[in-house]
Amino acid sequence: MNMLVDGEWRTDAREYTDASGEFDRQESRFRDWLDGGVAAAGEPPESSEFAPESGRYHLYICRACPWAHRAAMVRRLRGLQDEISISLVQPERYDQGWEFSDDHPDPLYGYDYLREVYVDADPEYTGRVTVPVLWDEQEETIVNNESSEIMRMLDTAFDGNGVSLYPEALRGEIDEIVDAIYEPINNGVYRAGFAGTQAAYEAAVDDLFDALDHWEGVLADQRYLAGDGDRLTLADVAMFATLVRFDHVYHTHFKCNRRAIHEYPNLWGYTKDLYQTPGIAETVNMDQITRHYYGSHADINPKRIVAVGPEIDFTEPHGRDELAGEPPLPQ
Ligand SMILES: N[C@@H](CCC(=O)N[C@@H](CS)C(=O)NCC(=O)O)C(=O)O
């Protein structure tokens, strides 16, 4: 387990799992807000010195990471490409943590490792070095490294193109869905994949497939998750980031193999529908996704061989436009 301890890189610091074999995800540490950004209900952000100025912020992401994917999708769907710059780390993660490379250089400082960005923000930082990172180029610090907060603030702090993925009337319900899918689905695939005991693995898989069965039912007669399903929201962003990776990596590498997403008619149609929503496909890089997962977790795939399948096509007809609802259209 690799992490920073008091600003020093350590490769022996802590295990992924707790004593009962359950995957233990750390709390994100940097939790500042862009001024004007809206938080989940009950967590009002204070006003901050981070004004939502165009050209001031940078997103460090990995195309492989579902949490970083949320931020990249919101940036793209809201047309913030010119306001917030973005760069990628190398998809494989080895002993040194997330790395930059010739293919994926650090455009701001020319660093070799993402951890150097964390140490700049806090020379005494103790914790994991994760993506996404929302970096303030003016103050040269990390504003926030928690995707559920970054996605909300990118939607609400900037004007963007007029698309709203966190509309006021639906915020409570979107929060509930984002919460409801987090533990069994978004984090559930990791709980299965990194489980240290058979019991922890089976419990995670049971929760995961119970939740997938539930949402398969919900999506039988609505196009999207929130409200009456007629508009794409942050709840869909959060769900899609897991579903699009599922059949290629979670099913095999994380042993979530009771069923594949393409075997669920509604979840599969929904995944293709979102993939085909203008702007989303360009945020998905399946080569980097598979290289990252199969190539980075030596404890569960020591030979780092990347599975070749499945042969599924996210661009084939999804059949969901018969349900009420339109993809987001910039105003
Ligand atoms: N709670 C964080 C989790 C981010 C996270 O765990 N990202 C993974 C990549 S998928 C990571 O960077 N892991 C590196 C590590 O744990 O050392 C969020 O939602 O932003």
Side-chain angles (χ1 to χ4, degrees), residues 1-3 9 16 23 25-28 31 62 64-68 70 93 97-98 114 118 127-133 144-150 182 190 245 250 292-293 297:
M1 175 60 41
N2 310 327
M3 62 188 279
W9 188 246
Y16 277 128
F23 174 57
R25 184 179 292 283
Q26 85 162 20
E27 287 279 314
S28 303
R31 312 296 283 265
C62 177
C65 168
W67 317 105
R70 299 168 166 202
R93 197 179 69 233
W98 292 118
L114 185 67
Y118 272 73
R128 307 183 59 79
V129 172
T130 57
V131 285
V133 169
N144 195 299
N145 70 336
E146 169 51 45
S147 65
S148 59
E149 296 180 349
I150 296 174
Y182 173 80
Y190 285 87
R245 286 163 175 73
Y250 303 143
H292 165 70
Y293 282 93
H297 307 133

Side-chain angles (χ1 to χ4, degrees), residues 27-330:
E27 287 279 314
S28 303
R29 231 302 303 286
F30 294 94
R31 312 296 283 265
D32 276 316
W33 281 84
L34 296 178
D35 208 18
V38 171
E43 301 169 26
E46 286 148 31
S47 68
S48 80
E49 75 260 40
F50 300 104
E53 292 158 16
S54 181
R56 176 168 164 180
Y57 300 96
H58 183 78
L59 267 175
Y60 285 108
I61 66 158
C62 177
R63 286 274 178 232
C65 168
W67 317 105
H69 196 182
R70 299 168 166 202
M73 269 191 273
V74 175
R75 171 181 175 269
R76 179 61 187 79
L77 289 172
R78 301 215 60 247
L80 297 173
Q81 302 95 298
D82 292 337
E83 309 208 40
I84 301 170
S85 55
I86 198 164
S87 64
L88 313 181
V89 294
Q90 182 64 22
E92 292 85 0
R93 197 179 69 233
Y94 302 125
D95 280 356
Q96 298 303 312
W98 292 118
E99 297 176 31
F100 299 106
S101 65
D102 291 343
D103 287 342
H104 303 296
D106 171 18
L108 304 185
Y109 303 102
Y111 285 149
D112 292 327
Y113 303 108
L114 185 67
R115 64 171 192 259
E116 296 171 82
V117 169
Y118 272 73
V119 173
D120 273 356
D122 176 2
E124 302 296 315
Y125 177 75
T126 293
R128 307 183 59 79
V129 172
T130 57
V131 285
V133 169
L134 182 64
W135 178 258
D136 178 0
E137 294 187 41
Q138 182 178 302
E139 298 300 321
E140 301 201 292
T141 194
I142 297 175
V143 181
N144 195 299
N145 70 336
E146 169 51 45
S147 65
S148 59
E149 296 180 349
I150 296 174
M151 70 176 183
R152 287 179 172 90
M153 67 179 103
L154 292 191
D155 193 75
T156 51
F158 287 91
D159 291 340
N161 57 7
V163 166
S164 170
L165 303 169
Y166 195 41
E168 214 167 334
L170 292 180
R171 281 181 195 156
E173 190 185 346
I174 294 169
D175 291 346
E176 278 173 23
I177 297 172
V178 168
D179 267 5
I181 66 176
Y182 173 80
E183 205 50 60
I185 297 180
N186 306 133
N187 198 40
V189 292
Y190 285 87
R191 286 168 51 218
F194 291 138
T197 62
Q198 186 72 29
Y201 160 72
E202 287 184 19
V205 167
D206 285 347
D207 289 352
L208 168 64
F209 284 92
D210 284 352
L212 290 176
D213 289 347
H214 168 76
W215 293 106
E216 169 72 6
V218 170
L219 288 169
D221 39 37
Q222 63 183 67
R223 188 162 181 180
Y224 302 111
L225 295 179
D228 52 10
D230 65 356
R231 62 188 294 174
L232 193 158
T233 68
L234 293 182
D236 301 294
V237 167
M239 181 69 112
F240 178 77
T242 297
L243 296 187
V244 74
R245 286 163 175 73
F246 199 100
D247 291 2
H248 286 82
V249 289
Y250 303 143
H251 179 275
T252 304
H253 181 62
F254 279 175
K255 306 187 189 77
C256 298
N257 63 350
R258 195 167 274 163
R259 266 175 115 178
I261 296 301
H262 70 267
E263 293 169 326
Y264 287 93
N266 303 324
L267 286 170
W268 177 226
Y270 168 82
T271 305
K272 288 183 289 187
D273 186 7
L274 266 90
Y275 184 90
Q276 292 169 36
T277 298
I280 291 192
E282 68 196 66
T283 66
V284 179
N285 185 322
M286 204 51 83
D287 175 58
Q288 298 208 2
I289 290 171
T290 52
R291 277 168 52 198
H292 165 70
Y293 282 93
Y294 290 104
S296 301
H297 307 133
D299 45 346
I300 50 179
N301 190 30
K303 302 220 186 297
R304 303 181 196 273
I305 289 167
V306 179
V308 293
E311 289 185 355
I312 53 174
D313 183 359
F314 292 100
T315 66
E316 71 182 17
H318 56 71
R320 306 270 306 162
D321 25 26
E322 286 156 20
L323 297 166
E326 290 286 327
L329 299 172

